Amino acid sequence: MVRVPARSVDTAMRDDIVSGVFEPGGRLAEEALARRYGVSRVPVREALRTLESEGFVTTRRHVGACVAELGDQEAADLLELRLLLEPLAAARAARRRDEAHLRVLRGLVRLGQERAARGRGEDPGSLWGWFHETLAQASASPGLIALLAQLRHKVAWMYVVDPPERPAEAWAALGAITDAVARGDAGRARALTAEHAERSFPAHRLRRPAAVRTAQRAVNTAGARA
């Protein structure tokens, strides 16, 4: 059992879905989930409603709440949405930038470039995610920020993303986006972000059910007793 604050059950459950602890199509029994997270059934019920509104959970007649199952086309749509929303966020960030966000963006680019120059082989995914999350925050658009957060979670759920073959070039591209945002050049920030997103598409490999963790197939029984 992993105890989490009642207000954070939706975050913990979303993370478990994205990481494959709960498999697509698996039933999500409230009692077992309450035991897993060390809370009552009330925050579990609320979390299930939140995740259903986000598309991670679906309710089936005579079965109850289950992990949603997205098809290949729905997965492809996620990348198309990214191509639309991330450039929009970058353009708004250029118009609404503040120095705090710029410092974080520049710091991440600098760190990424240093690691690339040293040939560090670790997965840069966390840095990429932090950069794009900060760029979204810099847009100062709450609705857009929320949509992009959901999109990032779903992309991580549906895809394995290979690291770039030329990380130095990838970080240079993010540096150029940051420069455009710093200059307040919304058009260039939008165009560069769209180009970066499109170039990253081939690195996304669709997860198949067999690729998701199978050691915890019984999502509400063995998994809930962990």
Side-chain angles (χ1 to χ4, degrees):
M1 181 177 68
V2 180
R3 291 190 177 276
V4 300
R7 65 181 181 278
S8 301
V9 173
D10 58 339
T11 299
M13 197 182 305
R14 186 189 300 108
D15 288 345
D16 281 344
I17 290 173
V18 170
S19 65
V21 172
F22 298 158
E23 294 186 15
R27 184 167 175 263
L28 297 166
E30 291 181 8
E31 183 178 352
L33 291 168
R35 288 198 303 270
R36 177 177 180 83
Y37 300 121
V39 297
S40 71
R41 294 176 67 169
V42 173
V44 166
R45 197 172 298 125
E46 293 173 351
L48 288 172
R49 284 198 291 266
T50 296
L51 296 180
E52 184 168 18
S53 72
E54 295 178 359
F56 290 96
V57 170
T58 187
T59 300
R60 295 179 181 173
R61 189 176 182 183
H62 306 309
V63 176
C66 300
V67 179
E69 298 178 272
L70 300 186
D72 290 2
Q73 184 57 57
E74 292 171 291
D77 288 347
L78 296 176
L79 298 185
E80 290 192 22
L81 284 171
R82 179 187 168 197
L83 187 58
L84 293 172
L85 296 181
E86 284 189 349
L88 174 61
R92 290 190 176 180
R95 290 192 290 267
R96 305 172 183 179
R97 64 200 183 283
D98 68 33
E99 195 56 39
H101 287 125
L102 287 175
R103 281 197 299 269
V104 175
L105 291 172
R106 287 169 173 150
L108 289 168
V109 170
R110 184 167 56 251
L111 180 58
Q113 289 174 331
E114 289 172 355
R115 290 184 176 182
R118 292 198 301 268
R120 294 283 291 273
E122 71 269 23
D123 182 1
S126 60
L127 287 183
W128 303 126
W130 193 358
F131 179 92
H132 288 292
E133 181 179 352
T134 303
L135 188 62
Q137 292 287 338
S139 74
S141 301
L144 183 57
I145 293 168
L147 285 173
L148 282 167
Q150 289 184 31
L151 183 58
R152 283 192 297 274
H153 288 308
K154 285 186 177 178
V155 169
W157 181 30
M158 295 303 296
Y159 290 95
V160 175
V161 184
D162 296 325
E165 294 182 2
R166 298 179 177 84
E169 292 182 9
W171 280 111
L174 296 184
I177 292 170
T178 300
D179 289 342
V181 170
R183 291 196 305 271
D185 190 338
R188 181 164 174 77
R190 181 193 292 267
L192 289 174
T193 303
E195 182 180 348
H196 172 70
E198 195 164 5
R199 284 184 175 179
S200 74
F201 284 2
H204 291 70
R205 293 184 288 110
L206 191 64
R207 296 182 191 270
R208 297 296 178 182
V212 181
R213 273 190 247 173
T214 57
Q216 301 184 46
R217 181 175 297 277
V219 296
N220 298 310
T221 55
R225 292 194 294 270

